[in-house]
Amino acid sequence: MPTAISLRGLSKHFGQVRAVDELDLDIADGEFFSMLGPSGSGKTTVLRLIAGFEEPTAGVIMLGEEAVTRRPPFARDVNTVFQDYAIFPHMSVRENVEYGLRVKKVGRPDRRRRAEEALETVRLAGYADRRPHQLSGGQRQRVALARALVNRPRVLLLDEPLGALDLQLRREMQIELKEIQREVGITFVFVTHDQEEALTMSDRIAVFNEGRIEQLASPVELYERPASAFVAGFVGTSNLLQGRVARDLLGQDGTFVIRPEKLQMVAEAPAEAGRVSAPGVVREVVYLGAATLSVVELDAGPTVTVSHQNTDTSIDAALERRDQRVVVTWRRDHLVSLGSSDPAASPEEETA
Amino acid sequence: MIDRRPGLRVGLLLTPPMLWLGVAYLGALAALLVTSLWTQNDFTGSIERAWTLENFRTLFTVDVYRTITLRTIGIAALVTVIDVVLAFPIALYMAKVASPRLQRILVISVLTPLWASYLVKAYAWRGMLSADGPIAWIARPFGLDTPGYGLPAVVITLSYLWLPYMILPVYAGLERLPDSLFEASADLGAGAWTTLRRVVFPMAFPAVVAGSIFTFSLSMGDYIAVKIVGGTGQLLGNVVYDNQGAANNLPFAAAVATVPIVVMLAYLTAVRRTGALENL
């Protein structure tokens, strides 16, 4: 597949801070590509470098076959959906959407038609004559999307576009964005710090940490086979077993992670081959609606989180387990080995 | 009891300032308007409290007053336009280009001239514009000369005096615009000029109008600068000053003074729809 964007040795330093550090990345044509990471990890800077709002300290940005590294934003075939939408408040919805065509001197009838089409694509047909202040947050977000899509750019850059929406609307927009992307077939580069959002929508995800890519993989691979403790902690919740604990429990050196839903709590250790069991005490039970999380302090030392689907009508049994002794058990092949990675790289807190 | 009755508390709190606004401020204006409907006894010079429109008739029928009125409006408009043209790039640079440190320095340097006395600044321009002053000295190698004292000098001096009153609102207006609007415009294919014309200027327009209210009204009422650098030229302010000073014809001075008030009210009505009044 031809590449839409190639980054080679891309760096951006702000004074002493290396916001982006020697980045190499290829994004394929028509891909829904997400850049995921905590704030300050450099993902937004990469987006701004591609858009042309920042000049790189070093490296090359290729858009298709063209090197656009030093080109101003208006001479690049990319468009951006901004985090604050950046809708022009003094223009109507139609004028906003037509803006890009207007400055490129597209004729009025053609402009009209394409703006109508773009508004239809984002399900805002009939809103053309509204003023931005009459729109809700979700509608403004759609206007921003239409304003960018109407130019049919080679690549659409989205900078946390759903961040300001409430949860319900965000979930709807996630599905809709994915549909729109399939409809128009434009490469989407999507920046987010929300791992669920990235998993829901993306073809591939790059997890950023301190200006570098920690892992570049499909959502399934990222979740099931995290490459580092950082990725394991940032994407979903995970339990980390390392050092002496790994040796005691698993009889192996190294660092291992396992997802909470792969763990089970039982009364007695099963005598099944290929299973690992560890006794402990339930310290906390958290009811989440669809699932219940139990925090178990293992006798071997670490605390692990066990997720249990609430398929029974009553969860009283789970709640009663607080301060009870249990055995946590899991299949050996569910463990993901991180090799002997540097434990310092793991994030301070597990991110749910 | 005051605690229990919020209406009473608010009333007590607001009465003194409302009295000040009503009696001292609007009352004085009303007195002015009333005076303009009286007349002066030519022989004794005392005011006769008989209702008459004689002052306004003189104002509208005597050519020289019409000329002076139009000249005053013209100069106020010209000063406003010059200040907009000078202030906009400065304000844009301050708000969107300068580093935070430079931004502070620039704001202070714009404000500093306001601390100096008006008279000192007017006299400074008298010196600048004199026959052997700095402007003549700079212009001479190019075959030009100082404009000397007259209406051009008045325009230059007033533009200088009121420039900060234009820069500050425009700066505040531009500073409020999020950077992402500029970026969005560039992102959608607009060059710097197009962005300026289609996004920045329309959005800063209310701020410009807000500044123009200051420059226009201050110019309308000025009479000192024109005395110092205006040569023999006269503005409405001079007519007011001369009539109530030398001629001691307070009713006619009051009639003349209503002209800028009416012009300003018309101007404010016209700009109200731009939303500029929310920018003051």
Side-chain angles (χ1 to χ4, degrees):
Chain A
M1 206 182 262
T3 51
I5 298 175
S6 310
L7 310 178
R8 288 287 170 272
L10 194 66
S11 294
K12 176 69 186 178
H13 301 173
F14 295 104
Q16 293 298 303
V17 182
R18 292 170 177 233
V20 179
D21 199 5
E22 304 247 341
L23 196 72
D24 292 312
L25 180 61
D26 289 294
I27 298 172
D29 247 340
E31 192 172 18
F32 199 121
F33 189 87
S34 288
M35 300 200 275
L36 174 67
S39 50
S41 61
K43 57 192 193 309
T44 296
T45 308
V46 174
L47 198 84
R48 292 177 59 81
L49 286 167
I50 298 172
F53 303 138
E54 309 277 354
E55 269 208 32
T57 311
V60 178
I61 300 167
M62 302 279 292
L63 203 59
E65 302 299 311
E66 287 173 290
V68 297
T69 317
R70 305 280 157 198
R71 272 200 217 160
F74 52 81
R76 300 184 186 206
D77 194 11
V78 298
N79 285 119
T80 310
V81 176
F82 291 83
Q83 189 167 13
D84 63 355
Y85 315 144
I87 305 284
F88 304 126
H90 60 296
M91 298 181 191
S92 69
V93 168
R94 186 199 313 281
E95 286 167 326
N96 263 288
V97 176
E98 284 183 0
Y99 188 85
L101 303 174
R102 191 179 191 134
V103 300
K104 286 180 205 109
K105 310 260 186 289
V106 175
R108 193 187 164 90
D110 202 20
R111 220 159 65 199
R112 272 284 147 97
R113 190 180 46 75
R114 283 172 66 179
E116 296 292 340
E117 276 173 22
L119 284 172
E120 230 161 87
T121 309
V122 299
R123 285 74 159 161
L124 272 188
Y127 283 76
D129 294 316
R130 302 271 181 106
R131 312 295 297 185
H133 65 85
Q134 296 173 305
L135 302 178
S136 68
Q139 289 168 336
R140 278 183 215 200
Q141 209 266 320
R142 285 157 199 257
V143 174
L145 191 61
R147 186 178 68 177
L149 283 175
V150 78
N151 304 293
R152 296 175 196 147
R154 178 154 196 157
V155 175
L156 188 71
L157 307 171
L158 302 105
D159 184 10
E160 310 221 9
L162 310 181
L165 306 180
D166 60 57
L167 188 64
Q168 185 83 23
L169 197 54
R170 197 155 71 214
R171 293 238 165 97
E172 279 171 36
M173 279 309 291
Q174 285 171 11
I175 294 165
E176 221 167 274
L177 260 183
K178 181 73 193 165
E179 275 172 20
I180 288 170
Q181 193 259 340
R182 230 176 268 137
E183 242 170 81
V184 295
I186 292 174
T187 311
F188 275 33
V189 179
F190 189 93
V191 161
T192 180
H193 63 262
D194 182 337
Q195 45 98 14
E196 188 195 300
E197 206 163 275
L199 292 177
T200 314
M201 296 192 285
S202 321
D203 295 320
R204 283 195 304 159
I205 301 170
V207 180
F208 277 75
N209 185 26
E210 292 176 351
R212 291 169 172 279
I213 293 179
E214 285 271 334
Q215 189 174 7
L216 175 61
S218 70
V220 176
E221 205 183 330
L222 205 61
Y223 189 79
E224 300 293 342
R225 299 270 143 207
S228 67
F230 178 84
V231 175
F234 194 75
V235 182
T237 314
S238 55
N239 298 306
L240 196 66
L241 305 171
Q242 59 187 352
R244 188 184 54 76
V245 178
R247 213 165 31 246
D248 290 351
L249 280 178
L250 313 169
Q252 254 177 302
D253 276 322
T255 306
F256 299 86
V257 291
I258 184 154
R259 296 291 183 187
E261 67 273 15
K262 305 280 188 333
L263 302 182
Q264 277 149 16
M265 284 188 301
V266 290
E268 272 177 45
E272 201 181 319
R275 283 199 89 92
V276 182
S277 301
V281 180
V282 178
R283 287 293 176 218
E284 195 58 71
V285 180
V286 184
Y287 177 63
L288 295 178
T292 306
L293 291 185
S294 305
V295 179
V296 181
E297 192 182 337
L298 298 181
D299 296 346
T303 303
V304 296
T305 306
V306 181
S307 170
H308 171 76
Q309 284 293 312
N310 291 335
T311 45
D312 310 325
T313 40
S314 159
I315 64 136
D316 294 347
L319 290 175
E320 272 167 22
R321 280 203 202 107
R322 193 169 302 183
D323 296 325
Q324 298 295 306
R325 286 203 63 85
V326 292
V327 175
V328 178
T329 168
W330 61 90
R331 272 165 54 181
R332 189 171 277 277
D333 57 0
H334 280 155
L335 282 166
V336 178
S337 168
L338 301 178
S340 47
S341 92
D342 180 12
S346 80
E348 287 287 293
E349 267 178 76
E350 289 171 338
T351 313
Chain B
M1 191 177 83
I2 286 178
D3 285 339
R4 298 244 182 99
R5 304 180 59 176
L8 187 67
R9 199 165 54 198
V10 169
L12 284 176
L13 209 59
L14 283 183
T15 302
M18 289 315 277
L19 276 178
W20 170 255
L21 190 70
V23 176
Y25 213 77
L26 297 176
L29 265 183
L32 181 83
L33 289 174
V34 169
T35 312
S36 72
L37 295 170
W38 291 336
T39 187
Q40 185 198 33
N41 187 315
D42 283 341
F43 187 64
T44 61
S46 63
I47 292 169
E48 292 181 357
R49 302 185 174 186
W51 302 109
T52 171
L53 289 171
E54 189 55 37
N55 294 317
F56 287 98
R57 195 168 305 131
T58 313
L59 191 58
F60 290 122
T61 51
V62 178
D63 271 351
V64 67
Y65 293 130
R66 202 173 344 162
T67 311
I68 290 176
T69 302
L70 291 178
R71 181 194 291 155
T72 307
I73 294 174
I75 283 184
L78 189 60
V79 167
T80 300
V81 169
I82 291 173
D83 277 347
V84 171
V85 170
L86 291 177
F88 199 83
I90 298 174
L92 186 61
Y93 180 80
M94 281 164 65
K96 289 296 163 193
V97 184
S99 65
R101 192 182 129 80
L102 187 58
Q103 205 170 356
R104 275 198 299 278
I105 294 173
L106 285 170
V107 170
I108 291 169
S109 15
V110 169
L111 285 172
T112 311
L114 295 179
W115 300 343
S117 154
Y118 172 99
L119 277 178
V120 169
K121 287 184 284 185
Y123 274 109
W125 273 99
R126 191 181 166 87
M128 292 278 287
L129 293 160
S130 68
D132 50 0
I135 289 186
W137 183 74
I138 292 167
R140 209 153 285 147
F142 302 100
L144 300 167
D145 199 4
T146 166
Y149 303 132
L151 293 181
V154 174
V155 171
I156 293 172
T157 306
L158 290 180
S159 302
Y160 164 79
L161 286 171
W162 311 144
L163 187 60
Y165 296 96
M166 180 62 79
I167 293 180
L168 292 175
V170 176
Y171 162 72
L174 288 172
E175 230 225 332
R176 266 205 305 259
L177 297 185
D179 289 342
S180 63
L181 289 180
F182 293 69
E183 288 177 354
S185 177
D187 185 71
L188 293 163
W193 281 111
T194 313
T195 300
L196 211 56
R197 193 161 57 88
R198 292 205 184 275
V199 177
V200 183
F201 203 76
M203 292 201 67
F205 185 68
V208 171
V209 173
S212 78
I213 291 170
F214 292 121
T215 58
F216 192 76
S217 62
L218 288 169
S219 301
M220 282 293 291
D222 191 80
Y223 68 99
I224 302 176
V226 68
K227 275 212 174 277
I228 295 171
V229 298
T232 55
Q234 282 215 318
L235 297 180
L236 278 177
N238 303 96
V239 178
V240 176
Y241 181 77
D242 293 344
N243 266 294
Q244 75 94 41
N248 199 22
N249 187 347
L250 193 56
F252 187 68
V256 176
T258 54
V259 174
I261 296 175
V262 170
V263 171
M264 274 320 292
L265 282 178
Y267 186 66
L268 286 175
T269 316
V271 300
R272 201 171 54 126
R273 21 181 94 240
T274 65
L277 302 185
E278 284 88 64
N279 269 272
L280 284 176

